[in-house]
Amino acid sequence: MKNLLILLITTLMVVSISGCQDKVSPTTCHIQGTMGSDDYDGKLIFLVPLNGAQTAETVDSIEIKGRKFEFKTDSMQMYKILLDYHYRLGIQPLLVVGEPGEVKVTIDSVSHCVGTPQNDSLEQWKVITETHNRQLGEIKKMIIESSKNGNPRLVESLNMRADSIHLAYKNRTRQMAANLKEGVLSEFLAKLYPTTYRKKLPDGRIVTMNADTNEEISE
């Protein structure tokens, strides 16, 4: 009976310790990753700060096993998830916000990230960006073809269409940043396409310019 009691207490202690080890701090971002193929088992994958120093102290790495990998960070910032550069061809790098919570990522030819509010919004912006890039890519091909065929009017029309698509994309990015109001992702998106910039004129004056039209804004 005494031995049974000791065994029971020992078992409860092991379960308790294991539970404490598995529990993630409420300030921790737990990134659970899956590779699209088992071809990358045994390779290294990296969690790299998007901004600031990229050193041994700030960059995390782990070996992929069974197509799985995971990172944990308590730093609320933007990161890139990158495969070892020797094996990166055809694999899309992924932006991720180090937001507290469980974040699930898939790394493949098209990579994805979901799980927390900012990362869900980042995934939406990523889809918008890919659609924009695809549309502009198709138009650029048409512009090249039209130029070869000596059709300047069509080239001009296509350039105007490309400008319109890009402006709409910039405004959607700006609106998303405004809707988020604050946070790492909001700051990241807001910096991509500011609505104005400052310019020094030949006479020494510093003026505010419209970032879309490059025209001076009266102050």
Side-chain angles (χ1 to χ4, degrees), residues 139 143 152-162:
I139 291 175
I143 290 174
R153 294 186 63 181
L154 181 56
V155 169
E156 181 181 3
S157 176
L158 289 170
N159 276 318
M160 291 177 62
R161 183 179 170 191

Side-chain angles (χ1 to χ4, degrees), residues 172-196:
R172 289 191 70 179
T173 299
R174 291 164 177 163
Q175 188 59 55
M176 180 173 285
N179 290 343
L180 291 169
K181 296 181 180 178
E182 59 182 13
V184 173
L185 181 59
S186 177
E187 293 175 5
F188 168 75
L189 295 178
K191 289 178 180 178
L192 288 178
Y193 299 109
T195 56
T196 63

Side-chain angles (χ1 to χ4, degrees), residues 38-103:
D38 56 13
D39 292 342
Y40 304 97
D41 279 9
K43 309 300 187 293
L44 288 178
I45 194 162
F46 300 85
L47 183 69
V48 184
L50 184 63
N51 301 305
Q54 298 179 2
T55 65
E57 289 73 28
T58 61
V59 175
D60 196 1
S61 64
I62 194 169
E63 181 181 330
I64 301 165
K65 296 180 180 179
R67 295 175 54 186
K68 304 291 184 181
F69 63 90
E70 66 176 298
F71 295 107
K72 292 180 183 178
T73 177
D74 292 315
S75 181
M76 186 80 153
Q77 61 176 306
M78 293 288 293
Y79 289 95
K80 292 180 290 185
I81 296 181
L82 301 170
L83 195 62
D84 185 320
Y85 75 92
H86 293 97
Y87 311 100
R88 204 172 291 172
L89 185 64
I91 297 296
Q92 185 182 55
L94 183 68
L95 289 176
V96 60
V97 181
E99 183 176 27
E102 300 288 334
V103 179

Side-chain angles (χ1 to χ4, degrees), residues 196-211 213-217 219:
T196 63
Y197 65 92
R198 304 286 283 175
K199 179 180 180 180
K200 185 175 183 179
L201 299 181
D203 61 8
R205 290 186 301 122
I206 305 295
V207 298
T208 302
M209 307 291 290
N210 184 304
T213 64
N214 292 316
E215 297 176 349
E216 181 180 345
I217 298 175
E219 300 186 47

Side-chain angles (χ1 to χ4, degrees), residues 119-192:
N119 281 301
D120 289 347
S121 295
L122 180 57
E123 177 68 15
Q124 294 174 15
W125 177 76
K126 180 177 179 294
V127 172
I128 292 171
T129 300
E130 289 171 344
T131 300
H132 160 265
N133 292 343
R134 184 167 56 251
Q135 289 175 333
L136 285 191
E138 292 171 354
I139 291 175
K140 287 179 180 179
K141 289 179 182 178
M142 294 169 64
I143 290 174
I144 292 173
E145 190 64 28
S146 298
S147 297
K148 289 179 179 179
N149 295 335
N151 194 336
R153 294 186 63 181
L154 181 56
V155 169
E156 181 181 3
S157 176
L158 289 170
N159 276 318
M160 291 177 62
R161 183 179 170 191
D163 289 343
S164 176
I165 289 173
H166 187 54
L167 179 58
Y169 166 70
K170 289 196 293 185
N171 285 333
R172 289 191 70 179
T173 299
R174 291 164 177 163
Q175 188 59 55
M176 180 173 285
N179 290 343
L180 291 169
K181 296 181 180 178
E182 59 182 13
V184 173
L185 181 59
S186 177
E187 293 175 5
F188 168 75
L189 295 178
K191 289 178 180 178
L192 288 178

